[in-house]
Amino acid sequence: MTLQLLPEEEKILAGEFGETRQKMMEILVALGKVFGAERLISIRSAQVSGASYKTIGEAGLAWISALDARVVVPSVLNPVGMDRVNWRDMGISAGFAKKQEEVIAAYARLGIRLECTCTPYYMYKTRYGEHLAWSESSAVSYANSVIGARTNREGGPGALAAAIIGKTPAYGLHLVEERRPQLVIAVEESSAWNDTALYGALGYCAGKIAGNRVPLLTGIRPRRDQLKALGAAMAASGAVALYHVAGITPEARVFSYSTGNLETIPVTVGEATALFQEQPVDAVALGCPHCSPEELSEIATLLSGKKVKIPVYIFAARNVIESNSDAVAVIERSGARVYADTCMVVSPALERYEAVMVNSGKAFAYVPDMCGAAVRLGTTEECIRTATGE
Ligand code: F3S
């Protein structure tokens, strides 16, 4: 079966609605043909990566600037290279800021909302079964696994094309049969699984096992923020875009009957805790993925009445920061800084440090390559203790 287009889709492909829409349809058709899609399906929202000037450079800026169309579904950007308001405070150069604003302006001309976050689910009500075109890997994992929405792990151009056309090819995780578990990761049952950072470490181990397969994890009962940490790390150390947790995630029940003959691989508490190695650090970075309101208030409680002795960066979506101003005020009275629009990986701000302490399995995987710094993993409490010199 080949990709079948509707008459109006054929017209877009023929260039009747402008060159940019034609180009975007060509991207969708090419993706659909490569992955064997039979049709395009409508999406509810898009999240577009390739927004930091640090990662896309001049070539990416030129490509986006040449486009001339508007998105037709709610669309947000992935984090960019700086806080759009407090970039000077982050130590970002004026030259970088100018280029970053050009990238943002190019996306704004396309009608993309300038919310730059990897947690768009804190902004848009995203529902079970909805089709999306999201591209940041942790957001994709959360949408698929925790919410039960459906999105492939789109590249930046694929997500942008879907945003402008309002559709994406129906293949991969848009199809129920592709969402079945392909292996079981049998996690050692233990009361030790009580910390979000430990779930990040578990995700780091599980991602290496799963690769790009859909795992079903057993033996754990993570809360929402812990699921966020688990999925983000699995998407970073592996390429897991959907996982199930028995008894917890919405589709685990749907597929529980079909796991009998699957390969089963155990993971122990010891394998996860082995990643928590002591080492001196000269900065702390929290909020990968961007902090939830609950995570901001946990950090505020830990920092209340204290002063940090080394730089502490905390990242969250702008709407989450604005609606949790009391917690943010407590955090900033300690000397720690809360930034919007950006993160420790896509901003050049963390490149000036020798070693960075994080509470995230995903940041643990990416900081060495993306920031050129050594990385230490700790719980949120350990990160704050390190920062305050306790
Ligand atoms: Fe988000 Fe940046 Fe981490 S995009 S998931 S905070 S690497």
Side-chain angles (χ1 to χ4, degrees):
M1 191 78 178
T2 53
L3 181 66
Q4 302 286 321
L5 295 183
L6 298 172
E8 68 264 27
E9 294 165 350
E10 292 282 9
K11 286 182 188 168
I12 296 171
L13 190 60
E16 287 190 31
F17 296 95
E19 203 181 315
T20 294
R21 299 196 83 208
Q22 179 182 32
K23 210 184 285 180
M24 297 298 110
M25 185 59 94
E26 283 170 357
I27 291 173
L28 298 183
V29 167
L31 283 170
K33 285 185 176 166
V34 166
F35 291 105
E38 295 177 3
R39 63 192 174 98
L40 302 184
I41 43 165
S42 297
I43 56 162
R44 286 300 297 260
S45 64
Q47 188 243 5
V48 179
S49 63
S52 169
Y53 183 70
K54 170 178 166 176
T55 54
I56 66 167
E58 272 309 295
L61 172 57
W63 188 76
I64 302 155
S65 303
L67 302 177
D68 179 21
R70 302 280 295 178
V71 300
V72 297
V73 294
S75 304
V76 292
L77 279 185
N78 206 38
V80 296
M82 61 189 198
D83 184 306
R84 295 193 59 209
V85 178
N86 294 315
W87 56 269
R88 285 185 189 80
D89 183 63
M90 290 183 76
I92 299 291
S93 71
F96 182 91
K98 180 171 173 293
K99 285 295 179 184
Q100 183 61 75
E101 279 303 335
E102 285 177 32
V103 173
I104 291 168
Y107 277 119
R109 275 196 300 278
L110 303 176
I112 296 187
R113 278 180 60 171
L114 302 183
E115 315 284 356
C116 310
T117 181
C118 53
T119 55
Y121 39 84
Y122 295 147
M123 197 174 339
Y124 293 124
K125 188 90 188 143
T126 306
R127 295 188 178 79
Y128 183 90
E130 283 181 354
H131 294 279
L132 318 170
W134 289 10
S135 51
E136 196 284 317
S137 66
S138 77
V140 166
S141 169
Y142 194 94
N144 278 318
S145 314
V146 183
I147 299 172
R150 298 182 184 185
T151 175
N152 287 316
R153 184 168 164 172
E154 299 287 351
L160 185 57
I164 287 173
I165 302 297
K167 295 181 180 181
T168 195
Y171 70 92
L173 296 178
H174 292 285
L175 309 177
V176 177
E177 56 273 24
E178 300 287 332
R179 299 176 69 85
R180 293 179 193 287
Q182 296 165 311
L183 81 160
V184 175
I185 296 183
V187 182
E188 179 186 6
E189 290 189 33
S190 167
S191 56
W193 300 115
N194 59 5
D195 185 274
T196 304
L198 197 59
Y199 276 101
L202 170 61
Y204 185 89
C205 299
K208 285 189 179 294
I209 294 168
N212 62 0
R213 292 178 290 173
V214 179
L216 170 78
L217 290 94
T218 61
I220 48 171
R221 297 200 62 78
R223 299 188 301 274
R224 283 227 149 191
D225 282 333
Q226 295 168 341
L227 287 165
K228 182 175 77 164
L230 176 71
M234 273 195 278
S237 66
V240 176
L242 164 66
Y243 66 92
H244 306 291
V245 178
I248 301 285
T249 55
E251 287 175 308
R253 208 177 326 107
V254 178
F255 295 119
S256 58
Y257 62 89
S258 58
T259 58
N261 298 321
L262 294 179
E263 177 188 14
T264 298
I265 301 176
V267 175
T268 63
V269 176
E271 286 171 73
T273 54
L275 301 178
F276 291 75
Q277 299 283 345
E278 290 273 332
Q279 79 169 92
V281 296
D282 49 358
V284 168
L286 309 174
C288 171
H290 279 172
C291 286
S292 67
E294 294 74 22
E295 288 170 316
L296 279 183
S297 51
E298 181 194 1
I299 296 167
T301 304
L302 291 167
L303 278 173
S304 178
K306 297 176 186 164
K307 291 284 178 207
V308 298
K309 297 196 166 60
I310 56 175
V312 176
Y313 296 78
I314 295 155
F315 300 97
R318 190 167 290 283
N319 71 317
V320 172
I321 292 173
E322 287 172 356
S323 54
N324 292 275
S325 52
D326 289 351
V328 170
V330 172
I331 291 170
E332 297 212 316
R333 271 201 291 279
S334 75
R337 305 292 286 133
V338 181
Y339 293 112
D341 312 320
T342 187
C343 81
M344 69 276 278
V345 167
V346 299
S347 166
L350 274 285
E351 290 171 3
R352 73 187 79 132
Y353 300 108
E354 294 287 321
V356 179
M357 189 167 185
V358 299
N359 64 347
S360 153
K362 174 167 180 177
F364 181 73
Y366 280 180
V367 162
D369 282 348
M370 293 295 290
C371 303
V375 68
R376 173 181 168 188
L377 182 63
T379 65
T380 307
E381 206 176 328
E382 288 166 346
C383 288
I384 300 301
R385 272 210 305 271
T386 301
T388 54
E390 289 175 353

